[in-house]
Amino acid sequence: MIHDRDASRPVPLPYGSWPSPVTAGLVAGKTLTLSEVSAVGRTVYWLERRPAEGGRTALMRWTQAEGAHDAVPQDVDVGTRVHEYGGGAYAAGPHGVACSDRRTGQVWFLASGAALPHGMSAPGGECPAVLLAGAEGLRFADLRLDPRSGMVLAVREDHRTGPEPQASLVALGSAAGAAGRVLVQGADFYASPALSPDGATLAWVEWNHPAMPWDATRLCVAPVLRGADGAIEAVEQPRVLAGANGAESLGEPRWTQDGRLLVVSDRAGAWGVWEVFLQPSAVPTDGGNAAESLRPYPAPEGEIGQPAWVFGQRSYMPLPDGGCLFLAVRDGAGQCVLRSAGGQTAPFAGHPEQCPVPMDDGGFAWLDAPPDGLPAVVVGSGTGSPTICVRRAAPPVLAVRDIACPVSLTFPVPGFSPNRDPGGDGAGSDADGLRGHAFFYPPTNAGFCGPEGERPPLIVQVHGGPTARAQDSFSFKVQWWTSRGFAVLDVNYGGSTGFGRAWRNRLLGQWGVVDVADCIAAARHVIEAGLVDANRVAIRGSSAGGMTVLVALAESGLFAAGVSLYGVTDLRALAQETHKFESRYLDGLIGPWPQAESVYLARSPLSVAGRITSPVLLLQGAEDKVVPPSQAHAMARALRAVGTPCHLREFPGEGHGFRRESTIRAALGEELAFYGRVFGFTPYQPEAEPESNPA
């Protein structure tokens, strides 16, 4: 819990210039990014990314008796670059943990209770680390331990041959070789290998180009073939149980302890949990109609599912006693709900970012991410009784009155003609009754307020993806600005997840149109409500959100400034240069490539640079493989050619998303100074802060 403090009467100061307790050192050096909480018995594991160690991610282990400590050596960066975004980089079991090293791609197994080796890259002697797999050009993700054999199931991405990497499901073990034992291949993508409790059946999700996993996937199962020692040797002929029609997004297959298979599907218009019939003879028929392999599973209202940008997500969790946990999104906010084995439902106490995991003492472990508190790994009952804080994202130095809490609001969005011209924007003049969603954060600082009669500047925040979601959990990306006197508007434009498939599909063929129009509409809504200064509105976004920023600057004079962090500027180049996972993403968002090249050209920020007159700041990683630096350089040249103020800051060694403390510090300072120049205030300059531990 963040501690409170007494506050004196706020001192009036110009908005943007307030001294803030959210320092660059707190955000960049002292704040850990916590993720992927799991539990084995009463032992809790999680990942924490440390900017002070050059963005390295450590695997942590906690027991109540021993407390928290590193579970792998300091020279191991736990992570994976499968699909470039990774996820599922470790798996924990009773006998130890398997993890992938981001830098080498190798997968290691470290026995529980063993002393940490000095390094896992060259184990020897009594070293307890065992190399399971790893070779030049191979990457592994979505690791799952097989308790029967001790082998590890994984998604493998093979970059050794072919024009694009080849995907497969593999089993890793001492006898499987450095590349692993291939179990399933042939599809373009795989995810979520899940073994049945008896180890006899493997379920997974697969899909092919040009679909993204939130568009169309297939749920498959196959019997597992084992050797005399129990090792997984192969699987029999797979069967497709759902998704063969190419019109359904399935994900997160999970088994209950009594051997039933559950899966997330959006066949009813929004992601929800469904029970799977494994045997055709067991599938009920309805009035002679073709039998379905899925039936709805009792679950709370709301969308239960997430876009599969990363591996290892948990939208629901079957429990050992027959109950189930669900993470449901309603009105933009997530709510965790517990359904007991008897069918009773109750809210789960806390604000889990992913579904909690059960411990064998009846409690749960989860990453708690409330709107008014720092994220923390906690354990507790989920009923409201006291929790144990295992690890905080940062020291509890913020007072409650310094934290801006989100206000959920809706706003009318423009209508779009279904018979739009593929080369035009398709916008209608009248609203079609749809309403968009956003979270509004007012400027908040217990010690300071704005001058009397003055309204605050606004930063419109555009999330990436674009298939992602603005969330209401605490974020330093928001508090950095609100504590200095800015209002922030985090927009769930058309295409965002959490609102059903129809809202998600508003962006099909309309990227650069619907998202831009929705962000403009959201900004106008809060301006008309008198919440912000209409003359001091900026728009910022990263990756896909960066493209929305640049097009919005061209489409509307509403924005006085724009900041694009590693944003897309040339859709044609992106279609030809990006990595495999997103290489056909634009087929749905823009049109098939190269047939729709004219639309790609028309929608690209580079093509509308001549219409941008507001100052622009571009922040870019020099090693970005998702949106190459060439895109930022081309945009900077185009803006300067027409006389638009533009500054490009490139950070060596950074990829798609900034990880290093020095980079995060510099980027925050650069952006704040940029707004000061545009909006006419002088940012507060504290004494220089030393870096936590420059790497």
Side-chain angles (χ1 to χ4, degrees):
M1 181 68 185
I2 295 179
H3 75 273
D4 206 343
R5 62 169 172 80
D6 293 332
S8 59
R9 186 175 180 179
V11 176
L13 280 180
Y15 288 110
S17 68
W18 299 353
S20 169
V22 184
T23 64
L26 177 63
V27 178
K30 298 179 182 177
T31 302
L32 308 171
T33 299
L34 307 173
S35 63
E36 295 196 39
V37 176
S38 66
V40 179
R42 300 185 186 184
T43 302
V44 179
Y45 295 88
W46 70 94
L47 297 179
E48 59 182 50
R49 192 173 74 210
R50 302 169 176 172
E53 296 181 20
R56 183 181 82 91
T57 298
L59 174 62
M60 299 295 293
R61 180 179 183 270
W62 175 91
T63 64
Q64 192 160 13
E66 300 173 355
H69 57 80
D70 285 39
V72 295
Q74 290 187 352
D75 60 348
V76 176
D77 183 9
V78 180
T80 172
R81 290 184 57 200
V82 176
H83 294 181
E84 294 300 331
Y85 299 103
Y90 83 95
H95 304 297
V97 294
C99 66
S100 167
D101 188 332
R102 185 192 311 272
R103 295 163 183 163
T104 65
Q106 295 172 324
V107 177
W108 294 85
F109 183 82
L110 187 64
S112 293
L116 290 178
H118 293 296
M120 296 172 73
S121 57
E126 300 299 319
C127 179
V130 176
L131 179 63
L132 294 180
E136 184 70 26
L138 295 180
R139 302 174 183 177
F140 302 91
D142 224 356
L143 307 184
R144 313 289 177 98
L145 282 171
D146 172 26
R148 183 172 169 184
S149 67
M151 300 185 78
V152 176
L153 295 171
V155 174
R156 188 185 76 182
E157 196 174 69
D158 188 347
H159 292 250
R160 295 175 298 182
T161 60
E164 66 177 18
Q166 300 302 302
S168 58
L169 290 179
V170 297
L172 309 179
S174 57
R181 183 173 292 153
V182 174
L183 303 178
V184 184
Q185 60 184 352
D188 290 326
F189 302 96
Y190 292 95
S192 305
L195 274 171
S196 59
D198 61 4
T201 306
L202 178 65
W204 68 89
V205 167
E206 63 181 38
W207 68 99
N208 289 332
H209 285 314
M212 297 299 287
W214 43 87
D215 297 326
T217 59
R218 298 182 294 274
L219 172 66
C220 303
V221 296
V224 175
L225 300 177
R226 296 178 180 267
D229 59 354
I232 299 173
E233 295 190 343
V235 299
E236 294 183 6
Q237 182 64 34
R239 289 187 295 135
V240 177
L241 294 183
N245 61 359
E248 182 177 6
S249 172
L250 299 125
E252 300 188 46
R254 289 193 171 84
W255 298 86
T256 63
Q257 281 207 339
D258 59 1
R260 291 176 295 152
L261 180 61
L262 307 179
V263 72
V264 166
S265 168
D266 69 352
R267 60 171 52 190
W271 280 316
V273 182
W274 296 69
E275 184 175 352
V276 183
F277 290 96
L278 298 173
Q279 301 299 329
S281 60
V283 180
T285 59
D286 181 13
N289 293 331
E292 294 287 348
S293 60
L294 307 184
R295 71 176 178 188
Y297 188 70
E301 292 184 10
E303 183 156 55
I304 302 169
Q306 304 169 69
W309 282 103
V310 297
F311 296 98
Q313 299 183 123
R314 285 193 310 271
S315 303
Y316 72 103
M317 174 59 65
L319 301 177
D321 64 0
C324 194
L325 280 168
F326 305 90
L327 193 61
V329 179
R330 297 185 63 186
D331 300 324
Q335 170 68 60
C336 189
V337 178
L338 172 63
R339 182 178 62 77
S340 70
Q344 294 79 28
T345 61
F348 187 93
H351 299 81
E353 186 174 80
Q354 298 284 328
C355 255
V357 290
M359 303 173 69
D360 69 2
D361 60 358
F364 300 90
W366 70 94
L367 176 58
D368 203 53
D372 60 350
L374 296 168
V377 177
V378 300
V379 298
S381 66
T383 62
S385 58
T387 58
I388 299 173
C389 181
V390 173
R391 190 73 153 189
R392 296 184 189 276
V397 296
L398 294 184
V400 171
R401 288 191 290 269
D402 288 326
I403 298 175
C405 291
V407 177
S408 182
L409 57 82
T410 63
F411 56 91
V413 298
F416 291 87
S417 168
N419 299 316
R420 61 184 179 271
D421 175 0
D425 64 12
S429 58
D430 298 321
D432 58 7
L434 290 176
R435 296 190 69 83
H437 176 271
F439 289 112
F440 177 77
Y441 297 82
T444 305
N445 187 314
F448 304 93
C449 63
E452 186 176 354
E454 184 177 323
R455 294 187 176 117
L458 172 68
I459 297 176
V460 177
Q461 187 157 285
V462 188
H463 67 67
T467 310
R469 176 170 68 91
Q471 303 188 45
D472 62 344
S473 55
F474 180 95
S475 169
F476 275 122
K477 290 182 180 180
V478 171
Q479 304 300 326
W480 169 266
W481 303 113
T482 56
S483 63
R484 284 167 167 75
F486 293 86
V488 173
L489 186 65
D490 206 357
V491 185
N492 275 312
Y493 51 82
S496 303
T497 47
F499 302 87
R501 185 164 184 130
W503 185 260
R504 200 162 74 238
N505 285 352
R506 285 184 70 227
L507 208 59
L508 292 180
Q510 290 290 286
W511 189 28
V513 179
V514 164
D515 50 325
V516 170
D518 286 0
C519 288
I520 294 171
R524 284 179 175 154
H525 180 76
V526 296
I527 290 171
E528 291 168 1
L531 299 174
V532 299
D533 184 347
N535 295 316
R536 294 189 293 172
V537 179
I539 184 168
R540 75 183 302 273
S542 57
S543 191
M547 177 187 134
T548 302
V549 164
L550 296 169
V551 177
L553 291 172
E555 293 295 324
S556 174
L558 192 66
F559 304 107
V563 178
S564 171
L565 295 90
Y566 36 91
V568 177
T569 69
D570 185 348
L571 290 169
R572 295 176 302 171
L574 185 66
Q576 299 173 74
E577 296 176 359
T578 196
H579 57 112
K580 178 187 177 182
F581 180 62
E582 293 183 79
S583 63
R584 301 293 299 278
Y585 190 16
L586 301 188
D587 284 30
L589 294 175
I590 303 294
W593 175 265
Q595 297 92 321
E597 183 175 4
S598 61
V599 183
Y600 281 71
L601 179 62
R603 299 272 182 84
S604 293
L606 277 174
S607 297
V608 297
R611 293 172 17 216
I612 297 175
T613 57
S614 298
V616 176
L617 174 64
L618 303 172
L619 302 173
Q620 177 69 39
E623 308 301 324
D624 196 334
K625 304 300 182 185
V626 178
V627 179
S630 58
Q631 297 224 359
H633 285 278
M635 191 70 198
R637 289 193 298 269
L639 290 171
R640 291 164 184 160
V642 296
T644 299
C646 174
H647 178 64
L648 167 61
R649 177 74 181 272
E650 192 170 4
F651 297 97
E654 292 287 2
H656 198 66
F658 300 151
R659 297 166 57 88
R660 298 177 177 177
E661 177 180 359
S662 58
T663 300
I664 298 169
R665 281 174 174 267
L668 289 170
E670 190 92 54
E671 188 171 353
L672 179 60
F674 172 71
Y675 293 139
R677 293 192 298 272
V678 175
F679 292 150
F681 66 85
T682 301
Y684 175 73
Q685 295 291 342
E687 293 183 7
E689 302 173 74
E691 292 194 12
S692 300
N693 181 20

